[in-house]
């Protein structure tokens, strides 16, 4: 990313999200995306065609990245969305997908786009399936439904090897994670607990959800990583270093873009059982996230 993340980062001047009215809009913040190439590329939509334009082309169902990823032709946007088939109609699948919960959220979309660029098979829980299909096409399997329904959850988890949770509330609503090999949870529990006055009242429900999620995760028996981040800020990622000191998340802050990147990187380092660490923006430069996270795991096991 760029200096503070690693040397294999694509630093885009824009990032993309969708709404029901307009599938694409441009955010003012920059967005850090990991790619396999060992080079730093800076792109802007104001310049001639570059990688960002290719991303736009792919999001809109264009041919450039479709050919690169080897994906099938996209369905016509105006065509009807076929309702999901019954679960028994699906054949057994290899567990190679990553499920992103709360895929409609801003940080969830950052995680989804990072995973796509890594050529990861992505499934996403969303509220508006039609908008998600229009925005991401065949590159993301968008799922919408009631997470308290066992049949729906079993179907959502089919073929999933790992789950990444950008917000609290999902894990505590699920009874079984059968087949899942790794769960990454972005938690702001320490931020909520450190709040006082009116902020403490406003964050009370989120604090309770975060506590439930962490409790469910700890009792699940599944290898997990809890990323306890500081207060999330809508600031450009990749401009600062990091701090992993104990207690830093209660008083520090972290760029939302950096938080998304850290969680995606954490998917690649699966602990034997449990791994929890705190992270905020600070002075430590990270060029190799696998080495950094492995070192942090070693510290927690001492």
């Amino acid at each position: 990313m760029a200096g503070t993340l690693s040397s294999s980062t694509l630093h885009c001047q824009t990032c993309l999200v969708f709404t029901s009215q307009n599938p694409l809009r441009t955010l003012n913040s920059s967005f850090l995306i990991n790619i396999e190439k060992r080079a730093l590329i800076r792109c802007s939509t104001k310049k001639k065609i570059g990688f960002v334009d290719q991303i736009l082309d792919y999001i809109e169902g264009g041919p450039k990245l479709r050919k690169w990823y080897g994906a099938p032709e996209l369905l016509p946007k105006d065509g009807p969305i076929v309702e999901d088939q019954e679960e028994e109609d699906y054949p057994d699948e290899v567990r190679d997908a990553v499920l992103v919960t709360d895929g409609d959220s801003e940080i969830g979309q950052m995680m989804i786009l990072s995973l796509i660029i890594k050529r990861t098979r992505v499934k996403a829980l969303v509220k508006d399936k039609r908008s998600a299909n229009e925005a991401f096409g065949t590159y993301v399997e968008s799922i919408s439904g009631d997470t308290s329904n066992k049949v729906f959850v079993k179907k959502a988890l089919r073929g999933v090897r790992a789950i990444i949770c950008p917000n609290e509330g999902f894990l505590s609503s699920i009874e079984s994670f059968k087949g899942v090999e790794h769960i990454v949870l972005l938690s702001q529990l320490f931020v909520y607990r450190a709040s006082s006055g009116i902020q403490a009242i406003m964050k009370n429900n989120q604090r309770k959800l975060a506590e439930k999620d962490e409790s469910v995760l700890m009792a699940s028996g599944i290898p997990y990583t809890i990323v306890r981040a500081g207060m999330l800020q809508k600031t450009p990622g990749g401009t600062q270093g990091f701090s992993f000191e104990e207690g830093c998340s209660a008083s520090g802050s972290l760029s939302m873009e950096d938080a998304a990147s850290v969680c995606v990187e954490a998917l690649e380092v699966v602990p034997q059982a449990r791994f929890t660490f705190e992270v905020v923006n600070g002075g430590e430069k990270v060029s190799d996230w696998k080495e950094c996270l492995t070192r942090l795991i070693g510290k927690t096991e001492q």
Side-chain angles (χ1 to χ4, degrees):
M1 296 185 180
T4 56
L5 292 178
S6 79
S7 60
S8 56
T9 301
L10 172 64
H11 185 178
C12 299
Q13 294 294 93
T14 60
C15 69
L16 308 172
V17 298
F18 54 82
T19 65
S20 57
Q21 291 79 21
N22 181 11
L24 296 173
R25 64 183 175 86
T26 302
L27 295 179
N28 291 328
S29 59
S30 60
F31 180 37
L32 292 162
I33 306 169
N34 292 324
I35 59 175
E36 295 179 355
K37 296 181 180 179
R38 296 289 180 178
L40 176 65
I41 307 172
R42 184 176 297 273
C43 304
S44 173
T45 53
K46 294 181 180 179
K47 298 179 182 180
K48 63 181 180 180
I49 296 224
F51 206 85
V52 169
D53 298 283
Q54 294 180 47
I55 293 175
L56 279 166
D57 186 77
Y58 127 70
I59 290 289
E60 294 172 336
K64 295 180 182 178
L65 291 188
R66 186 182 308 128
K67 182 177 180 181
W68 180 33
Y69 280 93
E73 291 297 316
L74 299 180
L75 297 175
K77 289 184 178 182
D78 296 332
I81 295 178
V82 179
E83 293 297 323
D84 291 330
Q85 295 177 321
E86 294 297 323
E87 181 186 0
E88 55 266 26
D89 292 339
Y90 284 80
D92 291 335
E93 295 178 343
V94 175
R95 289 191 172 273
D96 59 353
V98 173
L99 175 67
V100 180
T101 67
D102 199 7
D104 297 298
S105 66
E106 186 174 350
I107 192 169
Q109 291 169 51
M110 292 177 182
M111 292 176 177
I112 288 172
L113 193 53
S114 290
L115 290 167
I116 294 173
I117 297 301
K118 280 178 170 286
R119 303 187 183 186
T120 301
R121 181 183 166 211
V122 182
K123 299 180 75 172
L125 291 177
V126 298
K127 297 179 180 68
D128 190 337
K129 186 174 178 179
R130 180 177 294 275
S131 292
N133 285 340
E134 290 177 346
F136 294 110
T138 59
Y139 301 96
V140 175
E141 182 180 344
S142 301
I143 310 167
S144 181
D146 183 3
T147 55
S148 65
N149 184 302
K150 293 181 181 180
V151 175
F152 169 74
V153 172
K154 188 174 182 180
K155 181 178 178 180
L157 294 180
R158 182 178 289 276
V160 171
R161 67 171 176 84
I163 300 173
I164 183 168
C165 303
N167 292 305
E168 55 277 308
F170 171 76
L171 298 177
S172 56
S173 67
I174 306 302
E175 294 185 6
S176 174
F177 298 97
K178 184 178 180 180
V180 176
E181 302 170 1
H182 186 204
I183 299 176
V184 175
L185 170 65
L186 178 62
S187 174
Q188 285 196 278
L189 180 57
F190 284 6
V191 175
Y192 302 146
R193 286 178 175 174
S195 300
S196 59
I198 188 65
Q199 285 296 321
I201 297 174
M202 293 175 63
K203 300 292 185 180
N204 184 57
N205 185 56
Q206 291 171 291
R207 177 181 62 80
K208 290 180 178 179
L209 288 175
E211 289 174 340
K212 288 181 180 179
D213 277 358
E214 291 200 13
S215 296
V216 168
L217 200 51
M218 292 175 183
S220 67
I222 299 172
Y224 67 80
T225 300
I226 298 177
V227 182
R228 287 200 175 123
M231 179 71 72
L232 295 181
Q233 303 287 342
K234 292 186 178 182
T235 55
T239 61
Q240 305 178 68
F242 298 90
S243 173
F244 305 98
E245 296 297 323
E246 184 176 352
C248 65
S249 62
S251 57
S253 63
L254 180 66
S255 162
M256 188 181 294
E257 295 170 0
D258 284 343
S261 296
V262 171
C263 289
V264 170
E265 293 294 340
L267 284 171
E268 305 301 322
V269 183
V270 183
Q272 291 186 352
R274 56 184 64 187
F275 174 37
T276 301
F277 69 96
E278 297 182 56
V279 58
V280 297
N281 284 127
E284 181 177 340
K285 308 298 182 181
V286 179
S287 59
D288 186 334
W289 277 101
K290 184 175 182 179
E291 184 280 329
C292 175
L293 295 173
T294 301
R295 171 170 52 83
L296 292 174
I297 289 177
K299 287 184 176 181
T300 61
E301 293 176 348
Q302 293 178 353

